[in-house]
Structures are given as C-alpha cells and as structure tokens.
Amino acid sequence: MYKSKITGVGHYVPENVVTNNDLAQHIETSDEWITERTGIKERRWVKEGDSNTTSAMGLKASKMAIENAGISKDDIDFIVFATLSPDYYFPGPGVLLQRDLGIKEVGALDVRNQCSGFVYAISVADQFIKTGMYKNILVVGAELHSPGLDKTTRGRGVSIIFGDGAGAVILQRSDDESGILSTHLHSEGQHAEELCLIGPATNRWVDKIMEANDPTDISYYPYMNGNFVFKHAVTRFAEVIVEALQQNKVRPEDIDMLIPHQANLRISQFIQRKMGLSDDQVYNNIMRYGNTTAASIPIALSEALQEGKIKKGDLVCMAAFGSGFTWASALMRW
Ligand code: COA
C-alpha cells in the first residue's frame, strides 16, 4: 500500500476587503458584535462584475500549488474539487478547472460536503493514491459566497460570517515516512436543515417558483441555526480530533499544528481549551477572511506554511465540521 503526502500548497483570495464597519453601513450590526461572537474583523467579497468565479479562484490557487510542488500541470492525473458554491448547478467546477488548466482528459470529481469538503476531498484523494491508481492529485477547496448572501439586516446572522476564497494542494505518492496517517469522516443527516440552502432544488419545481414570484421566499439564501450549529460543532470537532489521535497512538501535546476549519474563532478557541492546546499549536486566520467553507483549511495551511509555522516532521491535524452535519479530520506527518 502506498502513502500520500501534500507536496505543494496554494491559495487565492479576492482583493476586495470588506470590514465589519463596511457591513454596518447597510446592516444593523456592529464591529463589536461581530468581533465578540465570531472573531472576524474583515472578509474578502468579490465586487459585482468581478471575473472571480469559484472555479477561477480555484484555478489561481491551483497554479500556486502546482508551482509550489515543483511539478508540471501535465503531471496531474486526477482532480478533486470541494465546494458548496459551484459556478453552475451542473456540471461541477472540477471539469471547469480541468479545462481552464489546459490539461489532458484526467478525471475530475466534485465533493459536496460544505465546511468539511476539503478534508473529505483529501481523504478521497488519499485512497486513490494508497491503491496506486494515481500519483499526483490536485485537491481544491473554493467558495464564492458573497453573491448569494442576504446582505440585509434579515440575513445578518449568516452573511457576516462568510467570505470568498480558494485553496489548493498537490497530494502525491510519498516515498518516505511523511504523509497522511489517517482520515476520519462522519455525517449526521438528521440535522441537514439546521444549516442549509434549500432552493433551487429538484423538490422545488422551477416553474412553480417563477409563478409564485414571492419576495418573502428566502429559501435561496443560506439558513443557519447558529446556536445549534455552535453546540454541535464544538463537540464533533473535539471528537474527530481525538479519534485521529487515538488511531495513531499520539496525544494532544504531540500535535505541532492544528488547522481547524475556520468556522468561528470562538469555536476554535473552545476546542483549543478543551484539548489543552497552546496558542502556537493552533492556526487561525478567520479574523481576515471570515468563514470560507471548503476553502478555509487549504488557505490556512498555505498561510501557516508561508509564515514558517509548519516544519518537516511536524504532526499536523486538519479538522472540520459543517452543514450536513458532516465532520472530518486528517492527521499528517509533514
Ligand atoms: N449583528 C448584530 N446582532 C445580530 C447579528 C449581527 N450580525 N446577528 C444576529 N444578531 C442578533 C439576533 O437577532 C439576536 O437578537 P435578539 O436577541 O434580539 O433576538 C441576538 O443577536 C443573538 O442572536 P443569536 O443568533 O442567538 O447569536 P449567537 O450568540 O448564537 O451568535 C453566531 C450567532 C452565528 C455568531 C453563532 O451562533 C455562531 O457562530 N454559530 C456557529 C456558526 C458557524 O460556525 N457556522 C459555520 C459552521 S461550519
């Protein structure tokens, strides 16, 4: 059985910075409220008419990851693309990325696991490498949230949290001891409607929606039962990290860097306390980007590496929780 490891990382965020004070211009909210509840100070939102689609941002992050890995785009033999905000209802963004990278007709798979999407995608790619089927897999997480958010006071419980961006990694067959040690995936569909975007969907016939033309229909906007999500997130995050540690017979103090999905700084801090981790064992950048869903972990990983916070031989844990509910972790020896 082969092993896989991340050999290249990249990220991209749109230039347009939106601060909490900018939001307070048109939403009844404040910098104090947002900072206290979420830790977020600013996020990146594309400007209207911007060419940064989900796949376009994924392309930019991918090019950086390919360069960082020191491979050619033609070495890529599979693409896994995680997002909840695809360019089109169908086809998914994986094929758009294959086209826009200008590479041969490799397989492209789309992963729909929201905030856990990137860790699910890594797990899928890891299995393909373990079996020997592929050697160089491009794994991407990208999200374009801003055009789909309710940016009025009605939507303030959700819209203040989410940001746009993309991250990508090259997962390669490993020829040494470094690489992915294990991945752990979970779901609990019982809570699907606690964090969701209902329409448009195949159970909502488009002609009926058009006919109703109902301005109070908010099913096109993401819905989140914030308190409920928060409580489940802190429990599941901790559980899935412990699961990874136990499987590999290591302890919390052995973790050199935990890269949690950047859901909410308060969630990260809660997990940090619960696991007894120090500040330099946990990486957070939600303050600058908000919650970028499937993109948050690869963006954070890319920045942590740029800042020299992860070294060869480090034990790195990625963990996520989100809509589904789904949650997941991956433990790696860097
Ligand atoms: N600005 C100001 N007030 C706001 C607000 C905003 N942006 N959003 C909501 N409020 C108000 C509410 O209307 C409510 O007012 P009321 O008491 O008069 O009814 C009050 O603040 C409290 O709302 P509540 O939703 O209970 O706040 P909260 O403490 O749960 O914080 C979240 C809201 C969203 C920040 C928090 O629940 C959270 O972070 N949840 C998890 C989110 C998450 O991680 N999602 C992604 C999962 S991967």
Side-chain angles (χ1 to χ4, degrees):
M1 185 114 80
Y2 298 103
K3 214 166 168 197
S4 77
K5 69 172 170 184
I6 293 175
T7 57
V9 182
H11 72 281
Y12 173 80
V13 289
E15 276 173 26
N16 186 40
V17 177
V18 178
T19 65
N20 293 343
N21 287 327
D22 292 335
L23 293 184
Q25 304 295 312
H26 51 93
I27 299 178
E28 280 175 38
T29 189
S30 64
D31 179 42
E32 292 73 28
W33 195 97
I34 300 173
T35 306
E36 191 193 314
R37 308 285 173 118
T38 70
I40 300 166
K41 297 301 284 181
E42 58 188 45
R43 72 285 293 138
R44 304 297 177 98
W45 280 0
V46 300
K47 283 190 166 159
E48 211 176 328
D50 194 305
S51 60
N52 273 317
T53 59
T54 296
S55 66
M57 289 192 289
L59 176 67
K60 289 172 186 167
S62 298
K63 284 182 173 169
M64 183 174 161
I66 291 165
E67 198 186 325
N68 186 242
I71 62 167
S72 154
K73 61 183 183 172
D74 300 315
D75 295 325
I76 293 166
D77 42 25
F78 196 60
I79 294 171
V80 189
F81 200 128
T83 188
L84 65 67
S85 50
D87 300 34
Y88 306 133
Y89 194 91
F90 73 85
V95 297
L96 305 181
L97 185 59
Q98 179 273 333
R99 177 191 67 192
D100 298 340
L101 270 173
I103 58 175
K104 58 184 185 283
E105 297 90 349
V106 300
L109 179 75
D110 301 296
V111 167
R112 293 290 311 270
N113 287 82
Q114 299 69 247
C115 297
S116 313
F118 184 76
V119 185
Y120 265 75
I122 282 286
S123 180
V124 169
D126 179 45
Q127 312 312 312
F128 277 124
I129 287 178
K130 274 186 178 145
T131 59
M133 186 155 171
Y134 298 123
K135 280 187 187 160
N136 300 298
I137 304 185
L138 172 59
V139 184
V140 184
E143 303 287 0
L144 182 58
H145 284 300
S146 58
L149 298 172
D150 180 359
K151 300 190 194 81
T152 66
T153 296
R154 181 180 62 187
R156 66 184 177 176
V158 176
S159 56
I160 53 118
I161 290 181
F162 294 99
D164 304 333
V169 303
I170 298 294
L171 199 70
Q172 267 183 321
R173 190 186 284 181
S174 172
D175 45 19
D176 56 34
E177 281 315 294
S178 63
I180 293 181
L181 303 172
S182 65
T183 59
H184 306 269
L185 311 178
H186 296 279
S187 74
E188 195 179 27
Q190 182 189 342
H191 304 307
E193 285 79 18
E194 303 294 347
L195 177 49
C196 63
L197 195 159
I198 298 295
T202 48
N203 63 358
R204 300 185 76 243
W205 293 73
V206 174
D207 53 354
K208 294 280 179 297
I209 296 168
M210 303 289 274
E211 209 176 285
N213 192 20
D214 177 2
T216 64
D217 179 3
I218 55 164
S219 62
Y220 290 96
Y221 291 122
Y223 165 79
M224 179 170 69
N225 182 351
N227 276 308
F228 190 83
V229 172
F230 194 102
K231 283 179 197 143
H232 282 258
V234 289
T235 307
R236 297 308 195 180
F237 255 115
E239 272 177 21
V240 81
I241 296 168
V242 168
E243 188 180 0
L245 298 179
Q246 284 178 347
Q247 163 122 4
N248 294 284
K249 300 188 171 49
V250 288
R251 295 157 304 168
E253 53 267 41
D254 297 323
I255 296 178
D256 294 295
M257 187 55 78
L258 171 66
I259 312 258
H261 158 54
Q262 306 289 300
N264 176 326
L265 189 61
R266 307 300 160 226
I267 293 179
S268 292
Q269 289 168 335
F270 194 98
I271 301 158
Q272 180 180 334
R273 274 199 305 277
K274 204 165 166 176
M275 310 271 321
L277 302 175
S278 64
D279 286 350
D280 56 12
Q281 283 176 288
V282 185
Y283 190 83
N284 291 303
N285 62 3
I286 190 169
M287 304 72 89
R288 285 177 284 124
Y289 302 129
N291 177 340
T292 57
T293 315
S296 90
I297 290 180
I299 294 174
L301 182 64
S302 182
E303 290 203 333
L305 283 159
Q306 278 180 341
E307 292 166 22
K309 292 190 169 156
I310 298 174
K311 304 175 303 299
K312 189 160 174 49
D314 278 357
L315 191 64
V316 179
C317 184
M318 306 190 284
F321 173 88
S323 162
F325 293 150
T326 58
W327 59 102
S329 65
L331 196 67
M332 309 177 276
R333 181 64 66 189
W334 202 261

